[in-house]
Amino acid sequence: MGKNRRLPAGFLGIKTMNRPPYGLCLPVEYHRCRDGDTVEVGIAESRWVWTIRLIDCWSPEIGELGGREAKQYAEKLMEQCLHPAVYIPMPHDCHNLLGAITFDRVPGFIFLSETLSLNEAMVAAGHATVKKLKPVL
């Protein structure tokens, strides 16, 4: 947080996933993880903090089995990432960012590199699923 990191030239040429043709991609600074699928980031060089709800990434809640481990894994990945970026896909008929917000969160992808998103990394490590599962108590 607050490390004033800049993205290398060409970083935002993200090469993973089938992205819709409309969306917003910005460099961000990591603030904190609420849980394994919700991350607070600062928009680089501004005072805005957005809460990103990872798309296609459902981790257990903190009080559920595996919830704390999922949060710790997301924290580890975000802390190790030097140049995170957020991509917020927007439907072609959505004319502003407010149309994409759910609750207090913006659905999106957080990229750890040009080819790997936090979303994908959490699922690949088994700390999240692509679809929401019933909680295990």
Side-chain angles (χ1 to χ4, degrees):
M1 178 165 98
K3 294 180 183 174
N4 199 13
R5 299 174 291 197
R6 293 194 184 275
L7 292 176
F11 177 79
L12 296 179
I14 294 167
K15 301 172 184 168
T16 186
M17 299 184 179
N18 290 328
R19 300 183 303 154
Y22 302 97
L24 180 64
C25 193
L26 299 168
V28 294
E29 295 176 355
Y30 169 64
H31 280 241
R32 73 181 187 101
C33 289
R34 287 189 183 176
D35 56 25
D37 56 27
T38 306
V39 180
E40 291 181 7
V41 295
I43 304 306
E45 301 193 25
S46 80
R47 293 184 180 185
W48 291 7
V49 175
W50 288 358
T51 302
I52 305 299
R53 171 60 179 85
L54 301 178
I55 294 174
D56 293 336
C57 180
W58 296 88
S59 73
E61 299 302 322
I62 297 297
E64 297 173 356
L65 183 63
R68 290 199 187 284
E69 293 82 0
K71 178 182 177 183
Q72 291 169 347
Y73 188 71
E75 288 171 335
K76 176 184 168 187
L77 292 178
M78 289 303 298
E79 288 167 359
Q80 291 175 348
C81 183
L82 297 177
H83 305 289
V86 66
Y87 175 72
I88 301 163
M90 298 184 51
H92 71 281
D93 58 349
C94 181
H95 300 292
N96 64 43
L97 185 59
L98 293 176
I101 294 175
T102 60
F103 300 102
D104 67 335
R105 306 172 301 178
V106 178
F109 297 91
I110 295 179
F111 284 89
L112 305 172
S113 71
E114 289 184 3
T115 58
L116 179 67
S117 71
L118 178 61
N119 314 47
E120 294 169 313
M122 293 296 291
V123 171
H127 291 291
T129 59
V130 176
K131 293 186 179 184
K132 187 173 184 176
L133 302 177
K134 293 182 180 182
V136 177
L137 302 176

